[in-house]
Amino acid sequence: MMERIYALAEADIDTFVGTNRANLITLSNLFPKTKLRLHQNVLKILGEDQAVEELMHVLSALEQLCSEYNQLTEAQIIETVRRLRSGQEGGGQPSASDVIIYGIHGKAIQARGRAQQRLVSDFGSCDLCFATGAAGSGKTFIAICLAVKALKAKQVRRIILSRPAVEAGEKLGFLPGEMKDKLDPYLQPLYDALGELIPAPKLKDLMDTGVIQIAPLAFMRGRTLSDAVVILDEAQNTTPQQMKMFLTRLGMNSKMVITGDFTQVDLPRGVPSGLRDALDKLEGIRGIGFVHFGKQDIVRHPLVSAIVERYDEREREAEQF
């Protein structure tokens, strides 16, 4: 008899074991000469030597599968065991070259439209990317998908997401709670995007340990951001000084993605946008990607495109008078 310990480090525990531990029951049925016991994130395996070693190998393959696809089904378990027993490589689900990442419940997330595809391409070849244009075109979401993919592939150690809190200061005073409570509403869209990619318990663990950090732009001052994917969202609301500060945080083995929409500038009248200033100054520098998203790239509800178009029409009419 042999006893081995397998600690789940990458996959979300609840997803891995399944509802009512259904996946562990499936494994027990496939490996009748072993016994599985779960305590927190640790699996204890008891049984005959050969069966235990084989199950350890299977658990490693299944954890990789679960981490990549954010799901683990009975069919995937059976297929993985069959492949490994027959000496074949690969997991229990085929991959597609145009899939960026698999979200919650195994949802395949792909680049939609030329602009999103261009952003994926530029992220691979450039350490700094600017993605500007229409609201609802998926700029920030694709950037976060690329960041999570890089983290899972161990290409970086951290993800750092930031936004300028343009109402910081006097206008936040009426909100209850500490500073974090006052700022969280401005950062909620970033939490929402992450929640579509990473199961809630795993996301909480990654944030508690600092692997994923979400912070207002002001908190970036003085930091050097190495081994990370750093995303600045709503960058149209930065000043030129703030943008310069942020850009100079780029450290070794890091990538930055900066997103913004010039139709949603909330800066005080007369204050220039740091995003527009950066685009003007950095144009032509090798190693920097520039992607513009138009109204045709909007991927939200079809009405969003019509709404954006109507607002643009009315603004053009107003400018003529």
Side-chain angles (χ1 to χ4, degrees), residues 10 28 33 36 68 88 93 98 139 178 182 188 206 227 241 251 258 268 285 305 307 316:
E10 302 295 331
S28 296
K33 295 181 180 180
L36 274 171
E68 180 176 358
Q88 299 177 14
Q93 182 167 332
D98 54 352
K139 305 181 298 295
E178 302 296 328
K182 296 175 186 289
Q188 190 60 46
L206 291 172
D227 293 311
Q241 293 77 16
I258 296 172
I285 296 180
S305 296
I307 291 169
R316 286 194 295 268

Side-chain angles (χ1 to χ4, degrees), residues 1-5 24 27-38 43-48 51-52 55-56 59:
M1 294 289 289
M2 175 186 287
E3 177 181 317
R4 294 287 299 276
I5 298 295
L24 298 188
L27 285 169
S28 296
N29 292 334
L30 292 170
F31 292 87
K33 295 181 180 180
T34 65
K35 291 183 179 180
L36 274 171
R37 299 287 184 270
L38 175 68
L43 286 164
K44 180 186 288 187
I45 311 166
L46 297 167
E48 296 183 0
V52 170
L55 182 50
M56 287 287 291
L59 289 173

Side-chain angles (χ1 to χ4, degrees), residues 206-317:
L206 291 172
M207 296 187 69
D208 288 345
T209 56
V211 175
I212 295 179
Q213 303 172 26
I214 302 179
L217 176 61
F219 291 12
M220 296 294 105
R221 187 174 298 278
R223 303 181 65 182
T224 299
L225 307 174
S226 302
D227 293 311
V229 176
V230 189
I231 298 173
L232 175 60
D233 189 33
E234 298 288 340
Q236 74 276 2
N237 289 323
T238 63
T239 65
Q241 293 77 16
Q242 288 174 325
M243 179 61 75
K244 180 181 178 181
M245 177 275 291
F246 182 80
L247 291 172
T248 54
R249 300 307 95 199
L250 183 64
M252 301 300 293
N253 190 41
S254 288
K255 288 179 179 286
M256 275 187 175
V257 183
I258 296 172
T259 68
D261 176 6
F262 291 120
T263 68
Q264 301 190 48
V265 176
D266 298 317
L267 292 168
R269 185 180 298 275
V271 177
S273 169
L275 177 58
R276 191 179 298 279
D277 181 70
L279 294 178
D280 292 339
K281 289 178 177 175
L282 302 181
E283 182 180 4
I285 296 180
R286 292 185 60 185
I288 302 179
F290 299 90
V291 184
H292 180 72
F293 291 73
K295 290 186 287 292
Q296 71 278 5
D297 297 307
I298 294 175
V299 293
R300 290 181 183 167
H301 192 286
L303 275 177
V304 174
S305 296
I307 291 169
V308 171
E309 180 62 33
R310 181 57 59 86
Y311 269 87
D312 287 348
E313 288 177 3
R314 292 295 184 263
E315 288 173 3
R316 286 194 295 268
E317 293 172 0

Side-chain angles (χ1 to χ4, degrees), residues 33-292:
K33 295 181 180 180
T34 65
K35 291 183 179 180
L36 274 171
R37 299 287 184 270
L38 175 68
H39 179 66
Q40 294 181 343
N41 69 319
V42 175
L43 286 164
K44 180 186 288 187
I45 311 166
L46 297 167
E48 296 183 0
D49 294 7
Q50 184 177 351
V52 170
E53 290 294 347
E54 183 184 5
L55 182 50
M56 287 287 291
H57 190 35
V58 168
L59 289 173
S60 178
L62 290 177
E63 181 177 20
Q64 182 179 358
L65 189 71
C66 183
S67 177
E68 180 176 358
Y69 296 108
N70 271 322
Q71 69 170 355
L72 188 60
T73 65
E74 180 182 21
Q76 287 176 312
I77 294 171
I78 294 172
E79 176 63 11
T80 298
V81 172
R82 185 194 68 78
R83 286 176 178 271
L84 292 175
R85 283 177 172 169
S86 64
Q88 299 177 14
E89 296 297 327
Q93 182 167 332
S95 60
S97 58
D98 54 352
V99 173
I100 300 173
I101 195 172
Y102 289 85
I104 298 298
H105 307 307
K107 179 183 178 182
I109 297 172
Q110 301 171 297
R112 298 168 61 182
R114 291 184 179 180
Q116 289 191 7
Q117 292 168 359
R118 173 75 182 279
L119 179 56
V120 172
S121 175
D122 282 6
F123 183 85
S125 59
C126 301
D127 288 340
L128 173 60
C129 297
F130 287 88
T132 60
S137 53
K139 305 181 298 295
T140 303
F141 184 67
I142 293 298
I144 292 176
C145 287
L146 293 167
V148 173
K149 181 178 181 179
L151 181 68
K152 286 190 171 186
K154 294 182 168 52
Q155 296 170 351
V156 295
R157 293 188 296 107
R158 297 179 295 170
I159 296 174
I160 300 170
L161 309 176
S162 186
R163 269 187 163 198
V166 292
E167 285 89 0
E170 294 181 357
K171 293 185 181 180
L172 284 174
F174 73 92
L175 293 172
E178 302 296 328
M179 181 59 70
K180 180 180 184 301
D181 301 316
K182 296 175 186 289
L183 292 171
D184 269 355
Y186 299 97
L187 306 174
Q188 190 60 46
L190 304 179
Y191 291 105
D192 292 343
L194 287 169
E196 292 192 39
L197 304 175
I198 305 172
K202 184 67 175 178
L203 178 57
K204 183 178 185 303
D205 179 61
L206 291 172
M207 296 187 69
D208 288 345
T209 56
V211 175
I212 295 179
Q213 303 172 26
I214 302 179
L217 176 61
F219 291 12
M220 296 294 105
R221 187 174 298 278
R223 303 181 65 182
T224 299
L225 307 174
S226 302
D227 293 311
V229 176
V230 189
I231 298 173
L232 175 60
D233 189 33
E234 298 288 340
Q236 74 276 2
N237 289 323
T238 63
T239 65
Q241 293 77 16
Q242 288 174 325
M243 179 61 75
K244 180 181 178 181
M245 177 275 291
F246 182 80
L247 291 172
T248 54
R249 300 307 95 199
L250 183 64
M252 301 300 293
N253 190 41
S254 288
K255 288 179 179 286
M256 275 187 175
V257 183
I258 296 172
T259 68
D261 176 6
F262 291 120
T263 68
Q264 301 190 48
V265 176
D266 298 317
L267 292 168
R269 185 180 298 275
V271 177
S273 169
L275 177 58
R276 191 179 298 279
D277 181 70
L279 294 178
D280 292 339
K281 289 178 177 175
L282 302 181
E283 182 180 4
I285 296 180
R286 292 185 60 185
I288 302 179
F290 299 90
V291 184
H292 180 72

